[in-house]
Amino acid sequence: MRSVASFALGCKVNQAESEAVAEAFADKGYEIKNIDEAADIYVINTCAVTNFGDKKSRKTTFNI
């Protein structure tokens, strides 16, 4: 089974969008994984509207 992991950085809108993307993948038969698990596809949703969000996006790392 194909799998996808998603992660949202930023506001609640980003979190809601990431949940919607994950749900769309699930509807297509993808297994939803945590971001720290091996997956076929990774979706990172972030924005740079504020300096804080931009800085946090650049410094985020994942141990996969």
Short mmCIF file of all heavy atoms in Angstrom, two decimals:
data_model
loop_
_atom_site.label_atom_id
_atom_site.label_comp_id
_atom_site.label_asym_id
_atom_site.label_seq_id
_atom_site.Cartn_x
_atom_site.Cartn_y
_atom_site.Cartn_z
N MET A 1 0.84 -1.18 0.00
CA MET A 1 0.00 0.00 0.00
C MET A 1 0.89 1.25 0.00
O MET A 1 1.87 1.32 0.72
CB MET A 1 -0.90 0.00 1.25
CG MET A 1 -1.72 1.26 1.38
SD MET A 1 -2.75 1.33 2.86
CE MET A 1 -4.09 0.32 2.36
N ARG A 2 0.53 2.19 -0.81
CA ARG A 2 1.25 3.46 -0.84
C ARG A 2 0.93 4.25 0.42
O ARG A 2 -0.13 4.10 1.01
CB ARG A 2 0.86 4.26 -2.08
CG ARG A 2 1.23 3.55 -3.37
CD ARG A 2 0.74 4.28 -4.56
NE ARG A 2 -0.73 4.31 -4.54
CZ ARG A 2 -1.48 4.90 -5.43
NH1 ARG A 2 -0.94 5.53 -6.44
NH2 ARG A 2 -2.80 4.89 -5.35
N SER A 3 1.88 5.12 0.81
CA SER A 3 1.68 5.87 2.05
C SER A 3 2.10 7.32 1.89
O SER A 3 2.89 7.67 1.02
CB SER A 3 2.48 5.22 3.18
OG SER A 3 3.86 5.22 2.88
N VAL A 4 1.53 8.15 2.76
CA VAL A 4 1.83 9.58 2.75
C VAL A 4 1.90 10.07 4.20
O VAL A 4 1.18 9.59 5.06
CB VAL A 4 0.77 10.37 1.95
CG1 VAL A 4 -0.60 10.26 2.57
CG2 VAL A 4 1.17 11.83 1.79
N ALA A 5 2.81 11.00 4.43
CA ALA A 5 2.92 11.67 5.73
C ALA A 5 2.86 13.17 5.49
O ALA A 5 3.40 13.66 4.51
CB ALA A 5 4.24 11.30 6.40
N SER A 6 2.18 13.89 6.36
CA SER A 6 2.10 15.34 6.19
C SER A 6 2.42 16.03 7.50
O SER A 6 2.31 15.45 8.59
CB SER A 6 0.71 15.75 5.70
OG SER A 6 -0.27 15.50 6.67
N PHE A 7 2.85 17.28 7.36
CA PHE A 7 3.24 18.07 8.52
C PHE A 7 2.91 19.52 8.22
O PHE A 7 3.17 20.01 7.12
CB PHE A 7 4.74 17.92 8.78
CG PHE A 7 5.19 18.55 10.06
CD1 PHE A 7 4.95 17.94 11.27
CD2 PHE A 7 5.86 19.76 10.05
CE1 PHE A 7 5.37 18.51 12.46
CE2 PHE A 7 6.29 20.34 11.23
CZ PHE A 7 6.04 19.72 12.44
N ALA A 8 2.32 20.20 9.19
CA ALA A 8 1.96 21.61 9.02
C ALA A 8 2.77 22.48 9.96
O ALA A 8 2.89 22.18 11.15
CB ALA A 8 0.47 21.81 9.29
N LEU A 9 3.33 23.52 9.42
CA LEU A 9 4.01 24.56 10.20
C LEU A 9 3.22 25.84 9.98
O LEU A 9 2.90 26.18 8.85
CB LEU A 9 5.44 24.77 9.71
CG LEU A 9 6.43 23.68 10.06
CD1 LEU A 9 7.66 23.80 9.18
CD2 LEU A 9 6.81 23.77 11.51
N GLY A 10 2.92 26.53 11.04
CA GLY A 10 2.22 27.79 10.87
C GLY A 10 0.87 27.80 11.55
O GLY A 10 0.64 27.10 12.53
N CYS A 11 -0.02 28.55 10.97
CA CYS A 11 -1.30 28.84 11.59
C CYS A 11 -2.27 27.67 11.50
O CYS A 11 -1.99 26.64 10.90
CB CYS A 11 -1.91 30.07 10.93
SG CYS A 11 -2.32 29.81 9.19
N LYS A 12 -3.43 27.87 12.08
CA LYS A 12 -4.47 26.84 12.07
C LYS A 12 -4.98 26.57 10.67
O LYS A 12 -5.45 25.48 10.38
CB LYS A 12 -5.61 27.24 13.01
CG LYS A 12 -5.19 27.18 14.46
CD LYS A 12 -6.34 27.48 15.38
CE LYS A 12 -5.83 27.42 16.82
NZ LYS A 12 -6.89 27.42 17.78
N VAL A 13 -4.90 27.55 9.79
CA VAL A 13 -5.30 27.33 8.40
C VAL A 13 -4.39 26.27 7.77
O VAL A 13 -4.88 25.36 7.10
CB VAL A 13 -5.27 28.65 7.59
CG1 VAL A 13 -5.49 28.38 6.12
CG2 VAL A 13 -6.29 29.63 8.13
N ASN A 14 -3.10 26.37 8.01
CA ASN A 14 -2.16 25.37 7.49
C ASN A 14 -2.49 23.99 8.04
O ASN A 14 -2.43 22.99 7.32
CB ASN A 14 -0.72 25.72 7.85
CG ASN A 14 -0.16 26.81 7.00
OD1 ASN A 14 -0.87 27.72 6.62
ND2 ASN A 14 1.11 26.74 6.71
N GLN A 15 -2.82 23.92 9.31
CA GLN A 15 -3.16 22.64 9.92
C GLN A 15 -4.42 22.06 9.29
O GLN A 15 -4.47 20.87 8.97
CB GLN A 15 -3.32 22.81 11.43
CG GLN A 15 -2.03 23.17 12.12
CD GLN A 15 -2.23 23.59 13.57
OE1 GLN A 15 -3.31 23.48 14.11
NE2 GLN A 15 -1.16 24.07 14.19
N ALA A 16 -5.42 22.89 9.09
CA ALA A 16 -6.67 22.43 8.47
C ALA A 16 -6.43 21.99 7.03
O ALA A 16 -6.96 20.96 6.58
CB ALA A 16 -7.72 23.53 8.52
N GLU A 17 -5.61 22.75 6.31
CA GLU A 17 -5.29 22.37 4.92
C GLU A 17 -4.56 21.04 4.88
O GLU A 17 -4.84 20.19 4.02
CB GLU A 17 -4.44 23.45 4.26
CG GLU A 17 -5.17 24.72 3.95
CD GLU A 17 -4.24 25.81 3.45
OE1 GLU A 17 -3.00 25.70 3.61
OE2 GLU A 17 -4.76 26.80 2.90
N SER A 18 -3.62 20.84 5.79
CA SER A 18 -2.86 19.59 5.82
C SER A 18 -3.77 18.40 6.14
O SER A 18 -3.61 17.32 5.57
CB SER A 18 -1.73 19.67 6.84
OG SER A 18 -0.75 20.59 6.38
N GLU A 19 -4.72 18.60 7.02
CA GLU A 19 -5.68 17.54 7.33
C GLU A 19 -6.53 17.21 6.09
O GLU A 19 -6.80 16.04 5.81
CB GLU A 19 -6.57 17.94 8.49
CG GLU A 19 -5.84 17.96 9.82
CD GLU A 19 -6.68 18.49 10.97
OE1 GLU A 19 -7.93 18.56 10.81
OE2 GLU A 19 -6.11 18.82 12.01
N ALA A 20 -6.92 18.24 5.36
CA ALA A 20 -7.71 18.02 4.14
C ALA A 20 -6.90 17.28 3.08
O ALA A 20 -7.43 16.39 2.39
CB ALA A 20 -8.21 19.36 3.59
N VAL A 21 -5.62 17.61 2.95
CA VAL A 21 -4.75 16.92 1.99
C VAL A 21 -4.60 15.46 2.38
O VAL A 21 -4.71 14.56 1.54
CB VAL A 21 -3.38 17.63 1.88
CG1 VAL A 21 -2.38 16.78 1.13
CG2 VAL A 21 -3.53 18.99 1.22
N ALA A 22 -4.37 15.21 3.67
CA ALA A 22 -4.22 13.83 4.15
C ALA A 22 -5.51 13.05 3.90
O ALA A 22 -5.48 11.89 3.47
CB ALA A 22 -3.86 13.82 5.63
N GLU A 23 -6.64 13.68 4.13
CA GLU A 23 -7.93 13.02 3.90
C GLU A 23 -8.12 12.69 2.41
O GLU A 23 -8.61 11.62 2.06
CB GLU A 23 -9.06 13.92 4.39
CG GLU A 23 -10.42 13.28 4.34
CD GLU A 23 -11.50 14.16 4.94
OE1 GLU A 23 -11.31 14.63 6.08
OE2 GLU A 23 -12.52 14.35 4.27
N ALA A 24 -7.70 13.60 1.55
CA ALA A 24 -7.80 13.34 0.11
C ALA A 24 -6.92 12.16 -0.30
O ALA A 24 -7.35 11.32 -1.11
CB ALA A 24 -7.40 14.60 -0.68
N PHE A 25 -5.73 12.08 0.26
CA PHE A 25 -4.87 10.92 -0.02
C PHE A 25 -5.51 9.64 0.51
O PHE A 25 -5.50 8.61 -0.15
CB PHE A 25 -3.48 11.11 0.61
CG PHE A 25 -2.51 11.84 -0.27
CD1 PHE A 25 -2.20 13.17 -0.05
CD2 PHE A 25 -1.87 11.19 -1.31
CE1 PHE A 25 -1.29 13.84 -0.84
CE2 PHE A 25 -0.96 11.84 -2.12
CZ PHE A 25 -0.67 13.17 -1.90
N ALA A 26 -6.07 9.70 1.73
CA ALA A 26 -6.72 8.52 2.31
C ALA A 26 -7.88 8.05 1.44
O ALA A 26 -8.07 6.85 1.23
CB ALA A 26 -7.20 8.83 3.73
N ASP A 27 -8.63 9.00 0.89
CA ASP A 27 -9.74 8.66 0.01
C ASP A 27 -9.28 7.95 -1.26
O ASP A 27 -10.04 7.20 -1.87
CB ASP A 27 -10.53 9.92 -0.38
CG ASP A 27 -11.33 10.49 0.78
OD1 ASP A 27 -11.50 9.79 1.80
OD2 ASP A 27 -11.77 11.65 0.67
N LYS A 28 -8.03 8.19 -1.64
CA LYS A 28 -7.45 7.53 -2.83
C LYS A 28 -6.74 6.23 -2.48
O LYS A 28 -6.08 5.63 -3.31
CB LYS A 28 -6.46 8.48 -3.53
CG LYS A 28 -7.08 9.74 -4.06
CD LYS A 28 -8.00 9.45 -5.22
CE LYS A 28 -8.55 10.75 -5.78
NZ LYS A 28 -9.49 10.52 -6.86
N GLY A 29 -6.84 5.81 -1.21
CA GLY A 29 -6.28 4.53 -0.81
C GLY A 29 -4.90 4.58 -0.19
O GLY A 29 -4.30 3.53 0.05
N TYR A 30 -4.39 5.76 0.09
CA TYR A 30 -3.07 5.87 0.72
C TYR A 30 -3.18 5.62 2.22
O TYR A 30 -4.16 6.00 2.85
CB TYR A 30 -2.48 7.27 0.51
CG TYR A 30 -1.93 7.51 -0.86
CD1 TYR A 30 -2.76 7.76 -1.95
CD2 TYR A 30 -0.56 7.48 -1.09
CE1 TYR A 30 -2.25 7.98 -3.21
CE2 TYR A 30 -0.04 7.71 -2.34
CZ TYR A 30 -0.89 7.95 -3.40
OH TYR A 30 -0.37 8.16 -4.64
N GLU A 31 -2.16 5.01 2.77
CA GLU A 31 -2.05 4.85 4.21
C GLU A 31 -1.44 6.13 4.76
O GLU A 31 -0.43 6.61 4.25
CB GLU A 31 -1.16 3.65 4.54
CG GLU A 31 -0.97 3.44 6.02
CD GLU A 31 -0.02 2.29 6.33
OE1 GLU A 31 0.53 1.67 5.39
OE2 GLU A 31 0.19 2.04 7.52
N ILE A 32 -2.05 6.68 5.80
CA ILE A 32 -1.55 7.91 6.41
C ILE A 32 -0.55 7.53 7.51
O ILE A 32 -0.85 6.74 8.39
CB ILE A 32 -2.70 8.75 7.00
CG1 ILE A 32 -3.77 9.02 5.93
CG2 ILE A 32 -2.16 10.03 7.60
CD1 ILE A 32 -3.27 9.72 4.69
N LYS A 33 0.64 8.12 7.42
CA LYS A 33 1.71 7.85 8.38
C LYS A 33 2.05 9.12 9.15
O LYS A 33 1.76 10.23 8.70
CB LYS A 33 2.97 7.38 7.64
CG LYS A 33 2.80 6.16 6.79
CD LYS A 33 3.24 4.95 7.56
CE LYS A 33 3.31 3.74 6.67
NZ LYS A 33 4.41 2.88 6.99
N ASN A 34 2.70 8.93 10.29
CA ASN A 34 3.25 10.07 11.03
C ASN A 34 4.47 10.59 10.27
O ASN A 34 5.14 9.84 9.57
CB ASN A 34 3.66 9.66 12.45
CG ASN A 34 2.46 9.37 13.31
OD1 ASN A 34 1.43 10.02 13.20
ND2 ASN A 34 2.59 8.38 14.17
N ILE A 35 4.77 11.85 10.47
CA ILE A 35 5.87 12.49 9.73
C ILE A 35 7.22 11.85 10.04
O ILE A 35 8.13 11.90 9.22
CB ILE A 35 5.90 14.01 9.98
CG1 ILE A 35 6.79 14.72 8.95
CG2 ILE A 35 6.33 14.32 11.40
CD1 ILE A 35 6.29 14.66 7.54
N ASP A 36 7.37 11.21 11.18
CA ASP A 36 8.65 10.59 11.52
C ASP A 36 8.74 9.13 11.08
O ASP A 36 9.68 8.43 11.41
CB ASP A 36 8.92 10.71 13.02
CG ASP A 36 7.84 10.08 13.87
OD1 ASP A 36 6.78 9.71 13.33
OD2 ASP A 36 8.05 9.95 15.08
N GLU A 37 7.75 8.68 10.30
CA GLU A 37 7.76 7.32 9.77
C GLU A 37 8.11 7.34 8.28
O GLU A 37 7.90 8.35 7.60
CB GLU A 37 6.39 6.67 9.93
CG GLU A 37 5.96 6.47 11.36
CD GLU A 37 4.58 5.86 11.45
OE1 GLU A 37 3.62 6.47 10.95
OE2 GLU A 37 4.49 4.76 12.00
N ALA A 38 8.62 6.23 7.81
CA ALA A 38 8.92 6.11 6.38
C ALA A 38 7.61 6.13 5.60
O ALA A 38 6.64 5.48 5.97
CB ALA A 38 9.68 4.82 6.10
N ALA A 39 7.59 6.93 4.53
CA ALA A 39 6.40 7.04 3.68
C ALA A 39 6.86 7.21 2.23
O ALA A 39 8.02 7.56 1.97
CB ALA A 39 5.55 8.24 4.11
N ASP A 40 5.95 6.96 1.32
CA ASP A 40 6.26 7.16 -0.10
C ASP A 40 6.24 8.63 -0.49
O ASP A 40 6.99 9.07 -1.35
CB ASP A 40 5.25 6.39 -0.96
CG ASP A 40 5.31 4.90 -0.73
OD1 ASP A 40 6.42 4.34 -0.77
OD2 ASP A 40 4.25 4.29 -0.49
N ILE A 41 5.36 9.40 0.16
CA ILE A 41 5.21 10.82 -0.14
C ILE A 41 5.19 11.59 1.17
O ILE A 41 4.58 11.17 2.14
CB ILE A 41 3.89 11.08 -0.90
CG1 ILE A 41 3.87 10.34 -2.23
CG2 ILE A 41 3.65 12.58 -1.10
CD1 ILE A 41 2.54 10.36 -2.93
N TYR A 42 5.86 12.75 1.18
CA TYR A 42 5.84 13.65 2.32
C TYR A 42 5.30 15.00 1.86
O TYR A 42 5.76 15.54 0.85
CB TYR A 42 7.25 13.86 2.90
CG TYR A 42 7.82 12.60 3.48
CD1 TYR A 42 8.55 11.72 2.70
CD2 TYR A 42 7.61 12.27 4.82
CE1 TYR A 42 9.07 10.55 3.22
CE2 TYR A 42 8.13 11.10 5.35
CZ TYR A 42 8.86 10.24 4.54
OH TYR A 42 9.36 9.09 5.07
N VAL A 43 4.33 15.53 2.60
CA VAL A 43 3.76 16.84 2.29
C VAL A 43 4.07 17.75 3.47
O VAL A 43 3.63 17.50 4.59
CB VAL A 43 2.23 16.76 2.08
CG1 VAL A 43 1.65 18.14 1.80
CG2 VAL A 43 1.89 15.79 0.96
N ILE A 44 4.84 18.80 3.21
CA ILE A 44 5.19 19.78 4.24
C ILE A 44 4.47 21.07 3.87
O ILE A 44 4.73 21.66 2.82
CB ILE A 44 6.72 20.03 4.30
CG1 ILE A 44 7.50 18.71 4.35
CG2 ILE A 44 7.04 20.95 5.46
CD1 ILE A 44 7.18 17.84 5.52
N ASN A 45 3.57 21.51 4.73
CA ASN A 45 2.77 22.70 4.47
C ASN A 45 3.23 23.81 5.40
O ASN A 45 3.13 23.70 6.62
CB ASN A 45 1.30 22.38 4.70
CG ASN A 45 0.39 23.53 4.34
OD1 ASN A 45 0.82 24.55 3.83
ND2 ASN A 45 -0.88 23.37 4.62
N THR A 46 3.76 24.86 4.82
CA THR A 46 4.25 25.98 5.62
C THR A 46 4.00 27.28 4.87
O THR A 46 3.58 27.27 3.72
CB THR A 46 5.75 25.80 5.94
OG1 THR A 46 6.14 26.82 6.85
CG2 THR A 46 6.60 25.86 4.70
N CYS A 47 4.26 28.38 5.54
CA CYS A 47 4.15 29.68 4.89
C CYS A 47 5.22 30.61 5.46
O CYS A 47 5.82 30.31 6.48
CB CYS A 47 2.77 30.28 5.06
SG CYS A 47 2.41 30.81 6.73
N ALA A 48 5.40 31.70 4.81
CA ALA A 48 6.40 32.66 5.26
C ALA A 48 5.78 34.05 5.41
O ALA A 48 6.42 35.05 5.13
CB ALA A 48 7.57 32.70 4.27
N VAL A 49 4.55 34.09 5.87
CA VAL A 49 3.87 35.38 6.05
C VAL A 49 4.54 36.17 7.16
O VAL A 49 4.70 37.38 7.07
CB VAL A 49 2.37 35.16 6.34
CG1 VAL A 49 1.70 36.47 6.73
CG2 VAL A 49 1.69 34.55 5.13
N THR A 50 4.95 35.48 8.21
CA THR A 50 5.64 36.17 9.30
C THR A 50 7.09 35.71 9.35
O THR A 50 7.43 34.62 8.88
CB THR A 50 4.99 35.83 10.66
OG1 THR A 50 5.16 34.44 10.92
CG2 THR A 50 3.51 36.17 10.66
N ASN A 51 7.94 36.53 9.91
CA ASN A 51 9.34 36.15 10.06
C ASN A 51 9.47 34.92 10.94
O ASN A 51 10.33 34.07 10.70
CB ASN A 51 10.15 37.30 10.66
CG ASN A 51 10.37 38.41 9.66
OD1 ASN A 51 10.32 38.19 8.46
ND2 ASN A 51 10.59 39.61 10.15
N PHE A 52 8.62 34.79 11.96
CA PHE A 52 8.69 33.64 12.85
C PHE A 52 8.39 32.35 12.10
O PHE A 52 9.11 31.37 12.22
CB PHE A 52 7.71 33.82 14.02
CG PHE A 52 7.70 32.64 14.96
CD1 PHE A 52 8.74 32.44 15.85
CD2 PHE A 52 6.65 31.75 14.93
CE1 PHE A 52 8.73 31.36 16.71
CE2 PHE A 52 6.64 30.66 15.79
CZ PHE A 52 7.68 30.47 16.69
N GLY A 53 7.34 32.35 11.29
CA GLY A 53 6.99 31.17 10.52
C GLY A 53 8.07 30.80 9.52
O GLY A 53 8.40 29.62 9.35
N ASP A 54 8.64 31.79 8.90
CA ASP A 54 9.72 31.56 7.94
C ASP A 54 10.94 30.94 8.61
O ASP A 54 11.50 29.96 8.14
CB ASP A 54 10.08 32.89 7.28
CG ASP A 54 11.05 32.74 6.13
OD1 ASP A 54 10.89 31.78 5.35
OD2 ASP A 54 11.95 33.58 6.01
N LYS A 55 11.32 31.50 9.75
CA LYS A 55 12.48 31.00 10.50
C LYS A 55 12.24 29.57 10.98
O LYS A 55 13.10 28.70 10.85
CB LYS A 55 12.75 31.91 11.69
CG LYS A 55 13.96 31.55 12.51
CD LYS A 55 14.15 32.56 13.64
CE LYS A 55 15.34 32.20 14.49
NZ LYS A 55 15.55 33.16 15.57
N LYS A 56 11.05 29.30 11.51
CA LYS A 56 10.71 27.97 11.99
C LYS A 56 10.75 26.95 10.86
O LYS A 56 11.23 25.83 11.03
CB LYS A 56 9.33 27.99 12.64
CG LYS A 56 8.95 26.72 13.34
CD LYS A 56 7.61 26.88 14.07
CE LYS A 56 7.23 25.60 14.75
NZ LYS A 56 5.93 25.72 15.43
N SER A 57 10.30 27.34 9.69
CA SER A 57 10.30 26.44 8.53
C SER A 57 11.71 26.05 8.13
O SER A 57 11.98 24.89 7.81
CB SER A 57 9.60 27.11 7.33
OG SER A 57 8.25 27.33 7.61
N ARG A 58 12.60 27.00 8.15
CA ARG A 58 13.99 26.72 7.75
C ARG A 58 14.71 25.84 8.76
O ARG A 58 15.62 25.10 8.41
CB ARG A 58 14.75 28.01 7.54
CG ARG A 58 14.35 28.76 6.28
CD ARG A 58 15.35 29.87 5.95
NE ARG A 58 15.65 30.71 7.09
CZ ARG A 58 15.02 31.83 7.43
NH1 ARG A 58 13.99 32.22 6.72
NH2 ARG A 58 15.39 32.53 8.46
N LYS A 59 14.32 25.93 10.03
CA LYS A 59 15.04 25.20 11.08
C LYS A 59 14.45 23.83 11.39
O LYS A 59 15.04 23.06 12.14
CB LYS A 59 15.07 26.04 12.35
CG LYS A 59 15.97 27.25 12.21
CD LYS A 59 16.13 27.96 13.52
CE LYS A 59 17.09 29.10 13.32
NZ LYS A 59 17.98 29.25 14.43
N THR A 60 13.31 23.51 10.85
CA THR A 60 12.66 22.23 11.15
C THR A 60 13.38 21.08 10.45
O THR A 60 13.73 21.18 9.28
CB THR A 60 11.19 22.25 10.70
OG1 THR A 60 10.51 23.27 11.43
CG2 THR A 60 10.51 20.93 10.97
N THR A 61 13.63 20.05 11.20
CA THR A 61 14.27 18.84 10.65
C THR A 61 13.42 17.63 10.99
O THR A 61 12.64 17.64 11.95
CB THR A 61 15.69 18.63 11.21
OG1 THR A 61 15.59 18.48 12.61
CG2 THR A 61 16.60 19.79 10.86
N PHE A 62 13.56 16.61 10.20
CA PHE A 62 12.82 15.37 10.41
C PHE A 62 13.81 14.22 10.45
O PHE A 62 14.75 14.17 9.68
CB PHE A 62 11.80 15.15 9.28
CG PHE A 62 10.82 16.27 9.16
CD1 PHE A 62 10.99 17.27 8.22
CD2 PHE A 62 9.72 16.34 9.99
CE1 PHE A 62 10.09 18.31 8.11
CE2 PHE A 62 8.80 17.37 9.89
CZ PHE A 62 8.99 18.36 8.94
N ASN A 63 13.59 13.30 11.35
CA ASN A 63 14.43 12.11 11.46
C ASN A 63 13.66 10.91 10.92
O ASN A 63 12.91 10.28 11.64
CB ASN A 63 14.83 11.86 12.92
CG ASN A 63 15.70 12.97 13.45
OD1 ASN A 63 16.61 13.40 12.77
ND2 ASN A 63 15.41 13.43 14.64
N ILE A 64 13.86 10.66 9.66
CA ILE A 64 13.12 9.58 9.01
C ILE A 64 14.09 8.45 8.70
O ILE A 64 15.15 8.63 8.23
CB ILE A 64 12.46 10.09 7.73
CG1 ILE A 64 11.53 11.24 8.08
CG2 ILE A 64 11.70 8.97 7.04
CD1 ILE A 64 11.04 12.03 6.92
#
